[in-house]
Amino acid sequence: MKKIKIYSPATIANLVCGFDVLGLCLKEPSDVMYVKLLDEKKVIINSANGFDLPSNPAQNTAGAPLLEILAETNLQVGFDVTIEKCIKPGSGIGSSAASAAGAVVAANHLLGNIFSKEDMVRFAMFGEKVASGVKHADNIAPCIYGGITLIRSIFPLDIVSIPAPKMWITVVHPQIEVRTADARQILRKEVLLKDAIKQWGNIAGLVAGFMKNDYQLIGRSLEDVIIEPVRSILIPGFDQIKKQCKEAGALGGGISGSGPSIFMISENNNTALNVEKVMRDIYTGIGLSHHIYVTTINNEGVRTEEF
Ligand code: HSE
C-alpha cells in the first residue's frame, strides 16, 4: 500500500503589516499526518490525538482540498488521512493551513509528484475556505514553500519567496481561542489613504529589510496601523507584551495571523529567550495559561517521511 508520513509546520501570517500577503514558516510546532492511497474514490479523515476534527471531508480543512484534487483530476483513487494535531485550532499559527497543506503535499507525493507548488497552494486554499470562509494563502504558501513568502496576487496566484537573514522567533499562545472568521468580521472594510500609505511603506520596508539583511529596517517596518488596532483588543496583555518585549531587545512583532498568538522577532537566540521570559512573566502575572515556542525560520516547509 502506498503511504506517507508528513510533518506540516506552523506558520505566521501577515507579519504585522502584510495582511493576507506575507507569511513565514516556523521550525516548530508541526502537525503529523499519515496518509494512505486508497483504490476507491473517497476521503477518510481520522483524528489521532483526541481533537474533535470534522469527520465529513467536505467540512474538514484537510479533506476539502483532497476532494477538490479528486474532482479536478478524475483519478479513481482516494485518501485515508490520520491527523495528529500539535498546532491547536484557533491559535493563530496556521493550524488549518497545516492540515490543508500537509494533505495536499501527501496526495501529490502519493500520486507521483504531478502538481507544482503553486497548484498545491491552490488546492490547499480550499481548506482555508472551510476554516474561515475565505481563500487566503499567507499561511498555506509559506507552509508549502518554506521560508518567507509574499502573495503578490491570489487570483491568479503569484507567490514570491523572500530571502531573509537568520532570525529567532518567540511565539506565545495564550490558551484562548480566536476564530479567524470572527477576527476578519470585526475589521473595517475601508481604510484611510494616510493609513494605506504608512502600511505599504512598511510592507516594502519589511521586504527590503529581509532581502538586505537589515535588522534595523526589519524592526522599524514591523508596524501595522490598520489591522492591529482593531484585533489587539481581543488579546489579553497585548500592548504590555509588545512594549516590554521590545525593551528586552526584540526587533518587533505583533499578532500572529488572526491571533491570539503574539510573535516577536529577535536577532539572536539570547534575546529570543529574554523575550520568552517577558511573555511568561506577563501571562503568569495575570493568571493566563499559555504556551511559548522559541524557534527559527523553517526553510523547507512541509516534510515527507516514509513509514
Ligand atoms: N491573513 C489571515 C488573517 C491569516 O489575518 O485573517 C489568518 O491566519
Side-chain angles (χ1 to χ4, degrees), residues 56-72:
N56 176 352
Q59 289 163 11
N60 182 287
T61 53
L66 296 177
L67 290 175
E68 188 59 29
I69 287 176
L70 294 182
E72 264 194 43

Side-chain angles (χ1 to χ4, degrees), residues 128-147:
E128 291 293 41
K129 181 92 197 284
V130 168
S132 67
V134 185
K135 283 185 181 176
H136 60 91
D138 49 344
N139 291 106
I140 297 280
C143 197
I144 289 178
Y145 283 66

Side-chain angles (χ1 to χ4, degrees), residues 25-55:
C25 189
L26 294 172
K27 279 237 168 89
E28 57 171 324
S30 288
D31 280 352
V32 182
M33 301 169 78
Y34 301 86
V35 185
K36 296 177 194 159
L37 192 65
L38 305 174
D39 54 13
E40 200 184 330
K41 198 163 180 154
K42 64 177 175 185
V43 174
I44 303 170
I45 303 288
N46 316 288
S47 172
N49 57 343
F51 278 95
D52 189 20
L53 309 175
S55 56

Side-chain angles (χ1 to χ4, degrees), residues 13-14 19-20 136 138-139 180 184 231 257-258:
N14 303 336
F19 180 70
D20 276 2
H136 60 91
D138 49 344
N139 291 106
T180 298
R184 295 182 80 90
R231 283 185 171 172
S258 55

Side-chain angles (χ1 to χ4, degrees), residues 17-306:
C17 51
F19 180 70
D20 276 2
V21 302
L22 286 173
L24 175 155
C25 189
L26 294 172
K27 279 237 168 89
E28 57 171 324
S30 288
D31 280 352
V32 182
M33 301 169 78
Y34 301 86
V35 185
K36 296 177 194 159
L37 192 65
L38 305 174
D39 54 13
E40 200 184 330
K41 198 163 180 154
K42 64 177 175 185
V43 174
I44 303 170
I45 303 288
N46 316 288
S47 172
N49 57 343
F51 278 95
D52 189 20
L53 309 175
S55 56
N56 176 352
Q59 289 163 11
N60 182 287
T61 53
L66 296 177
L67 290 175
E68 188 59 29
I69 287 176
L70 294 182
E72 264 194 43
T73 57
N74 215 15
L75 292 165
Q76 294 308 307
V77 295
F79 303 98
D80 179 312
V81 184
T82 300
I83 306 172
E84 211 176 290
K85 267 303 239 192
C86 301
I87 311 167
K88 264 199 175 172
S91 56
I93 48 173
S95 176
S96 52
S99 296
V104 172
V105 170
N108 185 47
H109 179 90
L110 295 171
L111 296 174
N113 297 313
I114 56 175
F115 301 124
S116 67
K117 282 187 174 171
E118 206 174 277
D119 282 336
M120 289 195 274
V121 171
R122 191 170 52 77
F123 285 123
M125 282 198 300
F126 283 87
E128 291 293 41
K129 181 92 197 284
V130 168
S132 67
V134 185
K135 283 185 181 176
H136 60 91
D138 49 344
N139 291 106
I140 297 280
C143 197
I144 289 178
Y145 283 66
I148 295 175
T149 52
L150 164 70
I151 320 300
R152 194 203 62 80
S153 155
I154 194 156
F155 301 118
L157 264 179
D158 187 356
I159 298 164
V160 185
S161 286
I162 309 290
K166 184 93 186 161
M167 294 183 290
W168 276 258
I169 326 280
T170 315
V171 184
V172 62
H173 173 206
Q175 303 291 293
I176 53 171
E177 189 179 336
V178 172
R179 291 183 59 243
T180 298
D182 298 337
R184 295 182 80 90
Q185 193 64 40
I186 60 171
L187 298 176
R188 284 190 291 265
K189 302 291 173 279
E190 285 162 5
V191 297
L192 294 174
L193 182 60
K194 72 174 176 55
D195 290 340
I197 292 167
K198 271 197 186 162
Q199 201 84 355
W200 58 56
N202 281 321
I203 296 171
L206 188 57
V207 171
F210 288 144
M211 297 186 72
K212 290 162 64 110
N213 297 349
D214 184 336
Y215 288 108
Q216 298 317 312
L217 179 56
I218 292 169
R220 290 199 301 283
S221 306
L222 287 167
E223 181 196 33
D224 173 5
V225 296
I226 296 174
I227 310 293
E228 183 181 289
V230 182
R231 283 185 171 172
S232 58
I233 51 172
L234 302 174
I235 305 173
F238 178 82
D239 291 336
Q240 194 188 354
I241 286 183
K242 197 171 156 182
K243 181 170 173 287
Q244 290 188 21
C245 288
K246 281 185 168 177
E247 285 165 5
L251 295 168
I255 304 171
S256 177
S258 55
S261 290
I262 303 170
F263 78 101
M264 287 286 151
I265 297 182
S266 299
E267 209 176 321
N268 57 57
N269 189 37
N270 260 352
T271 310
L273 292 172
N274 290 339
V275 165
E276 177 190 22
K277 185 177 179 320
V278 169
M279 292 169 165
R280 191 173 303 293
D281 286 350
I282 291 173
Y283 274 150
T284 305
I286 60 176
L288 183 54
S289 57
H290 56 278
H291 194 89
I292 303 183
Y293 303 95
V294 181
T295 185
T296 53
I297 300 178
N298 171 349
N299 286 310
E300 188 184 8
V302 179
R303 185 161 64 83
T304 55
E305 190 180 283
E306 303 297 333

